[in-house]
Amino acid sequence: MGAVSVIAGAASGSSFPNGWESFLLAVIGSSLFATLIGGVIAGLRASAAQRRDRYATSVGRLVAWQEYPYRIRRRTSDTAEALKELADLGHTLQEQLAGDRAWIASENKRTAVFYDQACSLIRTTAGDAARDAWTRSAVVTAADMNLGGGLSTQSALEQQYIDALNTAIRWRFGWRRVLPRRAELPKS
C-alpha cells in the first residue's frame, strides 16, 4: 500500500495498516518529548551559567574590597576630586557587597554562610586598613608605591575564607550537588 493510499485511508476513517498509526504517534510523541527535554536542559544550563557568573562577580567584589585600602594608600593626590573618587568607589563596593550578600542568601543558605564569613572578615580587616590608609599622605614618588609593611592585612586568613567560599560555590553545580557537602569553614 503506497503513501497516498495510507493517507486516503486515514482520511476515510480507516486505520493505518500494520500498526502505522501507533508508530507515527510514537515518533511524533518522542520528538515532542525530546524537544521538551532538550529545552528544559538548555534552560537549566543557561540558569547555571548565570548563577556561576553571579558568584564569580560576587567573589571578585570581595577581592576588590580587600584591595580597596591599597588604592587609598597609593593615591597620588589629596585633592577633593581624587578623594571623592576613592570615597565613591568605597560606597559602590559596599553597596555591591550588600547586594551580593542578599542574592547569595536567597540563592543558597549554605553558601551564604561561607560568603558571610569571608565578607565579615574581609570587611573588618579591609576597614581597619582603609582607616589607616586615609590617615597617610598621598604618594609622591615611585618608591612610595612600594608599601612594604605599610598596610596590615590578614591576607593568608582571608585567602583561606575565599578558598572555602569557592569550594562551597563549586558544590552548587554539576554532579557534586547530590553528594554530601565537603566544604568547611577555616579554623580561625
Side-chain angles (χ1 to χ4, degrees), residues 72-99:
I72 297 168
R73 182 62 186 97
R74 287 188 171 116
R75 70 188 181 279
T76 56
S77 171
D78 278 335
T79 64
E81 181 180 316
L83 297 176
K84 181 185 180 320
E85 184 179 319
L86 284 168
D88 287 347
L89 174 62
H91 295 305
T92 300
L93 285 172
Q94 287 178 331
E95 291 168 5
Q96 291 171 339
L97 289 172

Side-chain angles (χ1 to χ4, degrees), residues 2 10 14 16 23 34 47 49 55 61 64 87 93 97 106 108 140 168 175 181:
S14 66
F16 284 90
F23 175 75
S47 174
Y55 276 120
R61 287 180 182 143
L93 285 172
L97 289 172
S106 69
N108 184 268
V140 291
W175 58 271
R181 302 288 190 242

Side-chain angles (χ1 to χ4, degrees), residues 1-10 16-17 20:
M1 187 180 261
V4 173
S5 37
V6 168
I7 293 171
F16 284 90
W20 276 101

Side-chain angles (χ1 to χ4, degrees), residues 119-134:
C119 190
S120 293
L121 176 66
I122 289 171
R123 278 184 157 196
T124 300
T125 56
D128 292 343
R131 275 187 290 281
D132 179 57
W134 282 117

